[in-house]
Amino acid sequence: MFATRFNDFETGKLRANIFYPLLGKSIFTSDGAFWEHSRSLFRPHFNRENINDLQSTDRACDALFEAIGPVNSTGWTAETPMLQLLYNFTIDTATDFLFGESVESQRAAIRAKRGEPWPTNVPGSREFVEAMQVANDTTIMRLRLQSFYWVADSFKFRKALKRIWKFTDSFVVKALDLAAEGKLGDEKKNSLLASLVTQTKDREELSGQTLAILAAGRDTTASLLAWTVAELAMHPEIYAKLRDIVLRDFPQGIQPTFSQIKGCRYLQHVLQEALRLHPTVPINSRCVARDSTLATGGGPDGKSPVAVQKGQTIVFSVYLMQRRKDLYGEDALEFKPERWEQRIPAWQWLPFLGGPRICIGQQFALTEAGYLLVRLCWEFTGLEPVDREEMKKMKKGIGLTMWPADGTRVRFRKEVE
C-alpha cells in the first residue's frame, strides 16, 4: 500500500470531506496530482537548514520551564500536567515555523493565572488558539462518526473555523503583499508561508496548506513528547542514562544543533522506542483506487496474497504491528531503548508511514522532540509520576492522534544546594 502498489490505494474522498472544513484543499485532504503538487511545495522548506534553525524551539523551552514552575525546599516541582503544556509548546513552535511569529500560548497561559494580558502583539492570537481547540475537538468527532461526520456540525464549530481561517488569511495576505512589493526576503527568518508564496499565489490554497501543517505539527509532536515523558517518569534508570549521555555530549549553554541531536544515538533510541509503543497515529486506512492485491492475508495460513476490489477500505494498525512479539521479541511490550542498538527492518517501524507518502515533517518532529529532551536533561536531575499506579496503566485517548489519557501528570526534581 505504501510503496510497490502505492498508486492502487488512496486516502479517499471520505477523509477529505471529514477534514475539509479545517484543512481545506491541502496535502492531507488530497490524492493524485494535487497531492504530488502539495508535496513538491513543502519539500524545499523541510531541508536541513530550516530544521537547524532552533531559536524558536529554545524560546518555547524557556516558556515551558517557566510554566512548570519552581521547585520546593526538597527540590521537587509541583504537579505538572505536561500534556497541556506540550500542546502549548508545539503550537508556539509551529506558528513560528509557519508564519514567522509565535502565538505565545504558553506565556499567555502563565499570564492568565496572574490576570495579565496576552503576551504577543499578533492580532487575533488568543481567539485563534481557542478556536483551534474547538475545531480539533469537533474534527475528532467528525472522524469518529465517519460517513455521518456532518452530524457534528454546529454554530460553535463554524464560528471557530471562521476565526481560524481569518487569522491564517491575514498572514497569507501579508506574505502576498510583500511578494508583490519584492520585499518577501526582508524578514530575518523565512517562514514556511513565505516559502510557499514563491511557488503559488492561490490565497485559499496557501491558507489550507499552512493549516494542514499546523494541525499535524501541533498534535503529533505533543503526543510523542507526552508519551516519552511518561515512559521516562516510569523508568528513572533510563532517564538517568539519557541524562548522563546528554550532559556528556551536549555542553550546557551551547544551543544543540540538528546534527548533534540526530547523531546522539541513545537520544534517538529513546524517541524511536516511544514511537514504537505509542505511535501518534495508531490506526489508519486506505481506499482501494483500483482492483489490486495485498501481499498477505489470503490462503489457509493467511500468508498468501489476497485480492481487494476498487472502493473497499483497508484499515491497518501500526500500534498493533509494532507490539508484535514475533517482530520485536518476548519483551515487545516493554519500554527498552537498547533494542535499537540492533538493526530493525525499516518496515517493522512505521510511525511516520513509508514510501512516497512518508511524513514530510519526520526529521523536524524528531529534532524538536530531541531538543526539548536535551533541555529537560539540563534542567532536571529526575522526574516521577504523580500517581505511579495510574500512569502504569498507560491509558490512551484517541482522536486525530493518540495521547496519554491521564495528561502525563509528573513532578520534576532539581538538586537543592
Side-chain angles (χ1 to χ4, degrees):
M1 285 193 297
F2 301 149
T4 58
R5 294 186 180 272
F6 174 76
N7 291 324
D8 292 355
F9 302 89
E10 57 189 18
T11 57
K13 291 182 180 179
L14 178 59
R15 191 171 97 166
N17 290 339
I18 290 170
F19 288 103
Y20 186 83
L22 177 60
L23 306 183
K25 191 174 183 181
S26 64
I27 191 169
F28 294 126
T29 59
S30 60
D31 291 294
F34 189 81
W35 170 79
E36 292 176 4
H37 159 75
S38 301
R39 186 90 177 184
S40 67
L41 283 181
F42 287 119
R43 190 177 294 111
H45 202 75
F46 282 94
N47 57 34
R48 179 169 173 166
E49 181 181 346
N50 285 316
I51 294 175
N52 200 38
D53 185 358
L54 292 162
Q55 291 184 359
S56 66
T57 306
D58 195 64
R59 290 193 296 271
C61 289
D62 289 339
L64 175 63
F65 297 146
E66 184 181 351
I68 290 173
V71 297
N72 59 24
S73 59
T74 62
W76 288 95
T77 66
E79 175 183 327
T80 302
M82 277 297 286
L83 181 61
Q84 183 55 55
L85 301 191
L86 290 169
Y87 280 137
N88 294 342
F89 172 83
T90 52
I91 198 171
D92 289 347
T93 56
T95 50
D96 189 88
F97 177 72
L98 292 169
F99 305 132
E101 298 181 73
S102 169
V103 293
E104 297 282 3
S105 65
Q106 196 82 268
R107 296 194 189 281
I110 296 169
R111 291 192 176 194
K113 292 180 180 179
R114 305 172 186 158
E116 298 174 3
W118 197 274
T120 178
N121 294 321
V122 180
S125 291
R126 182 173 187 169
E127 293 80 6
F128 173 76
V129 172
E130 292 169 351
M132 278 298 294
Q133 189 60 54
V134 172
N136 273 353
D137 291 345
T138 307
T139 303
I140 288 171
M141 184 57 66
R142 288 168 66 90
L143 187 62
R144 289 172 177 166
L145 290 169
Q146 287 293 294
S147 298
F148 297 95
Y149 61 85
W150 47 270
V151 174
D153 193 18
S154 67
F155 174 75
K156 186 177 181 181
F157 180 48
R158 293 194 296 273
K159 184 178 179 181
L161 291 171
K162 186 176 180 180
R163 284 181 170 177
I164 291 166
W165 281 81
K166 181 181 178 181
F167 179 83
T168 306
D169 190 58
S170 68
F171 286 97
V172 170
V173 170
K174 179 181 176 181
L176 287 170
D177 289 345
L178 288 172
E181 296 169 8
K183 298 179 181 179
L184 196 59
D186 291 353
E187 293 92 345
K188 291 181 289 184
K189 178 181 176 180
N190 196 31
S191 66
L192 183 142
L193 179 57
S195 176
L196 294 181
V197 166
T198 65
Q199 300 171 72
T200 180
K201 300 295 188 290
D202 186 315
R203 188 165 156 181
E204 184 178 351
E205 181 186 349
L206 287 167
S207 293
Q209 298 283 23
T210 46
L211 279 171
I213 297 297
L214 176 63
R218 173 187 180 263
D219 288 9
T220 55
T221 308
S223 297
L224 162 59
L225 282 164
W227 286 117
T228 305
V229 169
E231 290 288 6
L232 291 174
M234 291 297 297
H235 299 87
E237 74 286 356
I238 293 176
Y239 182 78
K241 179 178 178 179
L242 175 64
R243 186 168 185 269
D244 286 344
I245 291 171
V246 165
L247 294 180
R248 182 194 70 199
D249 294 350
F250 297 87
Q252 291 196 50
I254 300 176
Q255 191 176 95
T257 65
F258 167 78
S259 296
Q260 286 177 307
I261 293 169
K262 190 172 183 180
C264 183
R265 294 190 52 171
Y266 195 68
L267 175 62
Q268 293 299 315
H269 293 168
V270 167
L271 292 170
Q272 288 171 314
E273 185 70 346
L275 283 166
R276 183 186 71 82
L277 284 174
H278 313 287
T280 54
V281 182
I283 302 171
N284 214 320
S285 66
R286 289 290 184 269
C287 294
V288 184
R290 60 182 69 123
D291 292 351
S292 187
T293 59
L294 299 177
T296 59
D301 59 0
K303 295 181 179 180
S304 300
V306 60
V308 289
Q309 290 183 313
K310 179 180 178 180
Q312 286 186 304
T313 298
I314 310 299
V315 179
F316 58 94
S317 175
V318 172
Y319 175 88
L320 293 176
M321 184 197 75
Q322 292 181 168
R323 289 171 170 244
R324 281 171 49 181
K325 293 183 179 180
D326 60 323
L327 298 180
Y328 287 96
E330 290 301 313
D331 60 355
L333 301 183
E334 297 177 21
F335 184 74
K336 188 178 177 183
E338 288 74 14
R339 79 174 71 249
W340 293 91
E341 293 170 2
Q342 307 297 320
R343 185 178 179 278
I344 293 177
W347 290 98
Q348 284 184 202
W349 186 76
L350 295 173
F352 298 101
L353 298 184
R357 204 152 188 152
I358 190 171
C359 175
I360 198 169
Q362 174 178 347
Q363 290 306 319
F364 184 84
L366 290 173
T367 302
E368 182 171 83
Y371 193 99
L372 178 55
L373 289 183
V374 170
R375 288 291 312 269
L376 280 172
C377 289
W378 283 355
E379 194 79 11
F380 302 107
T381 57
L383 70 162
E384 67 176 13
V386 171
D387 185 336
R388 177 169 288 275
E389 288 304 310
E390 184 64 22
M391 184 170 282
K392 187 177 180 181
K393 298 173 186 175
M394 292 288 173
K395 291 182 179 179
K396 297 156 180 65
I398 298 179
L400 300 181
T401 60
M402 182 177 75
W403 63 86
D406 72 345
T408 317
R409 296 180 300 118
V410 295
R411 285 185 287 261
F412 294 93
R413 180 167 54 85
K414 288 185 178 181
E415 293 291 347
V416 179
E417 296 181 0

